[in-house]
Amino acid sequence: MSTAYLLRRLGLAAVVLWAAWTVSFVVLYLLPGDPVATMAGASDGEPPTPAELDALRARYGLDQPPAVQYVTRLWAALQGDLGTSFATGQDVRSAVADALPPTLQMAGVGLLVAVAGGTAVAVAATWTRSGRLRQLLWSLPSLAVSMPVFWVGLMLVQLFSFRLGWLPSVGDRGPGSLVLPAITLGLPTGALIAQVLAKSLERSLEAPFVTTARAKGIGEAAVHLRHALGNAAIPALTVLGYVVGNLLAGSVVVETVFTRPGLGRLTVASVGAQDIPVVQGVVLFAALAFVVVNLLVDLAYPLLDPRIATTTVAAGGTR
């Protein structure tokens, strides 16, 4: 792996983070609306006077011109200061850090469900010699993708919680309460992995190196799992960045359906309260997660196929 390849990827990651922060600033701070007035209206106490509202705007820097706000907040963000919550006064980094563990736990298990399930369906669909079973397995990913996440969650709760009583329906009460949310979150992601991996695996099984391996008398299991699957994994690896974004976006719906704490619930509450610093902090974290995963994927390409790094550098970074 060359230094130029690594520096180019790090530079692109920095540009994506800056773009995400800038777009979120434009959308959240410059659109019509007064978050201070919204926060004051939601208060149960006596409404603040205009002078008190002006003092709050000055405290959060909302009385400054947009360009000054942009530069001030960007400089603070570069130093790791994401501001304080309008609603609670809590440091945004602390608010995101407190909400992060349940979401990471659920997304991690959901990713395991997606990778294991998607890989199993793809391998079975390209392995079986039964025409009907093959057709059924190929149609499963399309069916899973077409089902709304909230509907899947409600059906799982209805079956496994209310009818069978096997698993908790809501809340965060131990490993059992993680099963249904993780399956709900991992199902559409696993379907995407299965679609990409099955098509790539089918192409790999028709490649000359597979024909050569079969001619040498290597068994079908070894051909499938050792030769074809490794080569077919590169396109599936490419969708990992989208998968992470899909898991974070899906956590908003899943945490709401299953009444679980986490980043999704924090986002919904912050949007409802027009708590702009917290919403921007969540957006920045999601962009950071997306960038880190894609950077790791980019760095993994040369390890799977050294020709990729050479080709990318020679082409000036265009792949």
Side-chain angles (χ1 to χ4, degrees):
M1 184 185 308
S2 69
T3 303
Y5 179 82
L6 180 60
L7 291 177
R8 184 173 292 111
R9 292 305 168 205
L10 289 174
L12 287 174
V15 170
V16 170
L17 280 179
W18 169 78
W21 194 92
T22 300
V23 170
S24 66
F25 176 86
V26 171
V27 171
L28 295 172
Y29 281 91
L30 301 186
L31 287 181
D34 187 348
V36 172
T38 302
M39 181 175 58
S43 174
D44 295 333
E46 186 176 344
T49 64
E52 290 172 332
L53 289 176
D54 289 341
L56 282 174
R57 293 190 186 95
R59 175 184 174 186
Y60 292 117
L62 298 174
D63 59 337
Q64 299 294 319
V68 174
Q69 290 188 48
Y70 175 79
V71 173
T72 302
R73 295 183 187 283
L74 179 58
W75 178 246
L78 289 174
Q79 295 176 313
D81 180 9
L82 300 179
T84 57
S85 166
F86 289 168
T88 64
Q90 185 183 12
D91 182 81
V92 171
R93 290 179 305 177
S94 299
V96 173
D98 290 343
L100 196 54
T103 299
L104 286 182
Q105 193 180 40
M106 183 179 67
V109 178
L111 183 61
L112 289 177
V113 170
V115 172
T119 303
V121 170
V123 171
T126 53
W127 196 333
T128 181
R129 296 181 179 179
S130 169
R132 291 184 179 180
L133 181 57
R134 180 184 176 85
Q135 189 174 8
L136 173 64
L137 291 170
W138 273 94
S139 64
L140 285 180
S142 300
L143 178 64
V145 168
S146 65
M147 293 189 295
V149 173
F150 71 92
W151 182 83
V152 172
L154 293 176
M155 291 300 102
L156 290 175
V157 167
Q158 178 69 22
L159 177 61
F160 293 102
S161 298
F162 297 155
R163 289 186 179 275
L164 300 176
W166 290 352
L167 296 166
S169 59
V170 296
D172 185 10
R173 293 173 290 176
S177 62
L178 192 62
V179 175
L180 297 183
I183 294 175
T184 305
L185 195 60
L187 192 61
T189 305
L192 177 64
I193 293 174
Q195 283 181 322
V196 174
L197 188 57
K199 291 179 181 177
S200 180
L201 192 54
E202 195 173 49
R203 285 194 296 270
S204 294
L205 288 170
E206 297 173 354
F209 71 90
V210 170
T211 304
T212 303
R214 285 174 173 152
K216 291 180 178 177
I218 298 177
E220 192 60 30
V223 168
H224 235 92
L225 302 178
R226 190 192 308 166
H227 295 275
L229 185 59
N231 187 67
I234 293 179
L237 193 63
T238 305
V239 304
L240 265 183
Y242 172 79
V243 165
V244 170
N246 195 37
L247 289 174
L248 290 176
S251 70
V252 176
V253 177
V254 174
E255 287 173 1
T256 302
V257 170
F258 290 94
T259 324
R260 289 179 57 85
L263 212 55
R265 292 288 299 280
L266 176 66
T267 305
V268 172
S270 300
V271 169
Q274 211 173 341
D275 196 348
I276 294 176
V278 176
V279 176
Q280 193 176 28
V282 173
V283 170
L284 190 61
F285 169 77
L288 179 63
F290 179 84
V291 163
V292 168
V293 171
N294 276 277
L295 181 61
L296 293 176
V297 170
D298 281 341
L299 297 180
Y301 281 139
L303 300 179
L304 294 174
D305 187 350
R307 295 171 300 176
I308 293 178
T310 305
T311 304
T312 303
V313 172
T318 302
R319 186 170 59 234

